[in-house]
């Protein structure tokens, strides 16, 4: 049985999802999480509502060298350009920034962001961009101009834990939920 099969099962629970993912190797867990049918991402978001909240250090450890990239494989529920990577890093000041390494970057831009946490959870904040980045990465550009504004402008992606380093996200634009979901996955460190 795959994660897709399980999510298609009527009455599936978060506990069943976690048990399934826990029985897989790290690589297989990432493969199954980033191979979901588009329709299952919303279900996974809903099932993950009561999981323990994510901490910022789970994305980039506080001890990690500044500007050292930590990539998560991703898959969104859009009709095209589904696979991507969300690459996080810790700035010299200790904040966590990142960008989207996507085949859509040629028109959408790199989508730089700052990872934050508040009372409602951990989220990717595209309304704030980091001031530094690894040297080889694309230039930092604002997310509220040109075509980029239609992809990342006024956007915050809220994140929920599925299991370990498997995360489900949902995009919110100007504080309102959108029908856009995505999975992030990385083998356990």
């Amino acid at each position: 049985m795959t994660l897709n099969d399980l999510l298609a099962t009527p009455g599936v629970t978060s506990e069943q999802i976690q048990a399934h993912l826990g029985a897989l190797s790290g690589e297989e867990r990432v493969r199954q999480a980033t191979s979901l049918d588009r329709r299952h991402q919303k279900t996974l978001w809903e099932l993950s509502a009561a999981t323990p909240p994510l901490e910022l250090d789970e994305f980039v450890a506080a001890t990690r060298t500044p500007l050292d990239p930590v990539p998560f494989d991703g898959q969104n529920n859009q009709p095209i350009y589904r696979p991507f990577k969300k690459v996080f890093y810790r700035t010299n000041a200790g904040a966590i920034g990142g960008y989207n390494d996507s085949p859509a970057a040629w028109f959408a831009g790199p989508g730089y962001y700052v990872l934050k946490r508040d009372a409602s959870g951990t989220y990717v904040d595209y309304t704030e961009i980091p001031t530094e980045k690894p040297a080889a990465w694309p230039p930092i550009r604002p997310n509220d101009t040109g075509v980029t504004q239609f992809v990342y402008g006024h956007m915050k992606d809220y994140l929920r834990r599925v299991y370990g380093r498997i995360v489900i996200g949902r995009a919110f634009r100007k504080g309102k939920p959108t029908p856009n979901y995505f999975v992030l996955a990385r083998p356990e460190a």
Side-chain angles (χ1 to χ4, degrees), residues 63-103:
T63 57
R64 189 111 182 180
T65 303
L67 306 182
D68 187 24
V70 180
F72 280 70
D73 290 325
Q75 182 201 47
N76 63 50
N77 70 336
Q78 301 302 304
I80 59 172
Y81 299 119
R82 293 194 67 209
F84 68 98
K85 287 188 187 297
K86 197 170 281 297
V87 189
F88 299 90
Y89 62 96
R90 197 166 282 279
T91 68
N92 283 299
I96 297 176
Y99 88 108
N100 291 282
D101 183 3
S102 164

Side-chain angles (χ1 to χ4, degrees), residues 52-64 68 70 72 87-91 93-98 113-125 128 157-161 164-165 167 184 186:
L54 291 158
E55 301 295 331
L56 298 180
D57 287 355
E58 293 180 76
F59 291 88
V60 182
T63 57
R64 189 111 182 180
D68 187 24
V70 180
F72 280 70
V87 189
F88 299 90
Y89 62 96
R90 197 166 282 279
T91 68
I96 297 176
Y113 54 81
V114 174
L115 187 68
K116 296 181 177 178
R117 190 165 195 284
D118 64 16
S120 58
T122 299
Y123 62 98
V124 171
D125 188 353
E128 185 177 333
D157 291 341
Y158 279 85
L159 307 172
R160 291 179 176 170
R161 176 189 318 278
R165 294 180 105 184
V167 175
L184 298 177
R186 180 173 168 82

